[in-house]
Amino acid sequence: MQLKSILKQPEVSRVTGLSRSSIYRLEASGQFPSRVKLSECASGWHSEEVQAWVASRPRALARKAVAQ
């Protein structure tokens, strides 16, 4: 069984390079993965979904094409 990891907002900002407000704005518009509720006062994002979002960005796709 593989455990899924949850990223808190500071980690998501570090991985994506996005500010907190940009993350929430993109999430609200459906352009970024949705948070999962961890407790009454805590939430986070599935790391796999954040990594998939990063990989789907145009610049990331261009780097993959060059590397091949």
Side-chain angles (χ1 to χ4, degrees), residues 15-43:
V15 168
T16 63
L18 296 172
S19 68
R20 179 177 182 256
S21 59
S22 293
I23 292 167
Y24 290 124
R25 185 178 63 250
L26 288 169
E27 180 186 20
S29 69
Q31 298 177 53
F32 194 79
S34 297
R35 286 170 280 169
V36 292
K37 193 79 167 157
L38 302 174
S39 71
E40 186 176 323
C41 298
S43 61

Side-chain angles (χ1 to χ4, degrees), residues 49-64:
E49 292 178 4
V50 173
Q51 292 296 338
W53 182 87
V54 170
S56 74
R57 306 314 303 155
R59 189 171 190 125
L61 293 175
R63 280 186 289 211
K64 284 184 183 176

